Amino acid sequence: MKIDELIALYRGHKAAISQTDDGFLRNMSDALGHYDASELTPTLIDERYTQRRLKQVQPNSVARELKTTAAVLNHARRMGVIPSVPYIRRPAFNDERIRLISVEERDAMLAEARPAEFRAVVAFLFYTGARLSEALNATPREVRDGAVMFVSHKGTAGKPRYRQVPLHPVLRPLLVSNSSWLLPSPTGAKWGARDVRRHWETLCDFTDMEDCRLHDCRHHFASHLVMAGVDLITIAALTGHSDLGMLKRYAHHHTSHLRGVIDIL
């Protein structure tokens, strides 16, 4: 059985496929889809998939993609389609990086962000903690009672998980209600992630922001809530983290807000 057939089997098993996982599955198909499952070996996966992807994206991204690859193969094994799953070696990477964007840096970036439609996207990321795909896929009907609803299909079960994030007053005049998209591009169409990243790189160059990624807006959201004393369970409900591991890293990196807590004793 071809790997593409195993991918189709996996897609049929999942209740829904997130946009991120869909991209991972497409990458897997491009690299390995034409191979027969019996041909898969750790060396083949490493040479045809891992090493090629490492030339295109960061090691942590490749590691996440390979996790989805393993999920496809493990599902096929559970269904009795393949007898075993070859060892998949994931690239090592430093997952401890947290670039904290200060409030002053955030405000300076928002002041310089152009065009206005891109500024709205950046503000939305900073003030909701949304992932970029969540922001670009958001529609006006997902805003009600002063909050925006996000739906995530991440996780092995693929079951939808819902979360609501109250809208900060800064966002309310920036969001569009008479469009198919909550954050439309200048043409009124849906933003492309590549276009947003290109504008982001230009903004970072203009504001002298070094080592700064779009996902750091999400870090900013969570980190500043930690420093404001919000408990991790509440933050997880806002960010959609399924466990507290990542959020504990924010607490570990930013402890100055805890210095006065001991005085309570």
Side-chain angles (χ1 to χ4, degrees), residues 13 25 44 57 138 155 168 200 217 228 234:
H13 152 72
L25 293 173
L44 179 69
V57 296
H168 192 281
W200 176 262
C217 297
T234 299

Side-chain angles (χ1 to χ4, degrees), residues 12 42 50 78 80 102 106 121 128 130 134 144 155 166 170 181 191 212 234 244 249 254:
T50 306
R78 287 193 297 270
S102 70
R106 177 201 67 196
V121 172
T128 67
E134 293 174 331
R144 59 178 67 94
V170 167
W181 308 103
W191 273 103
C212 194
T234 299
L244 302 184
R249 285 171 46 198
H254 313 298

Side-chain angles (χ1 to χ4, degrees), residues 193-232:
R194 184 174 299 178
D195 291 332
V196 174
R197 290 192 174 94
R198 178 172 53 83
H199 281 290
W200 176 262
E201 291 171 2
T202 300
L203 176 62
C204 288
D205 289 341
F206 189 80
T207 54
D208 295 323
M209 293 288 289
E210 298 182 357
D211 186 31
C212 194
R213 306 170 190 170
L214 266 169
H215 200 69
D216 292 328
C217 297
R218 182 167 163 84
H219 294 167
H220 169 92
F221 178 83
S223 294
H224 283 279
L225 289 178
V226 168
M227 289 188 285
V230 180
D231 65 274
L232 296 186

Side-chain angles (χ1 to χ4, degrees), residues 5 8 23 53 69 72 93 112 115 126 139 175 178 211 258 264:
E5 294 177 273
R53 290 295 290 154
T69 299
V72 170
F93 62 94
E112 299 297 340
F126 273 129
T139 64
L175 304 181
N178 60 348
D211 186 31
L258 300 176
I264 298 174

Side-chain angles (χ1 to χ4, degrees), residues 45-121:
I45 295 171
D46 186 66
E47 291 179 351
R48 299 294 181 180
Y49 193 127
T50 306
Q51 297 307 317
R52 290 183 179 185
R53 290 295 290 154
L54 284 172
K55 295 177 181 179
Q56 301 168 329
V57 296
Q58 296 296 319
N60 59 331
S61 297
V62 179
R64 286 194 292 270
E65 292 184 21
L66 290 172
K67 186 175 180 180
T68 298
T69 299
V72 170
L73 299 178
N74 279 316
H75 176 66
R77 179 184 57 78
R78 287 193 297 270
M79 297 296 292
V81 177
I82 59 176
S84 61
V85 175
Y87 173 69
I88 299 178
R89 185 182 301 108
R90 299 180 195 174
F93 62 94
N94 179 12
D95 199 31
E96 293 300 315
R97 175 197 177 278
I98 293 181
R99 166 63 158 97
L100 177 61
I101 299 175
S102 70
V103 170
E104 293 75 19
E105 289 174 325
R106 177 201 67 196
D107 292 346
M109 296 184 83
L110 289 175
E112 299 297 340
R114 302 286 189 280
E117 293 83 359
F118 172 65
R119 184 188 306 120
V121 172

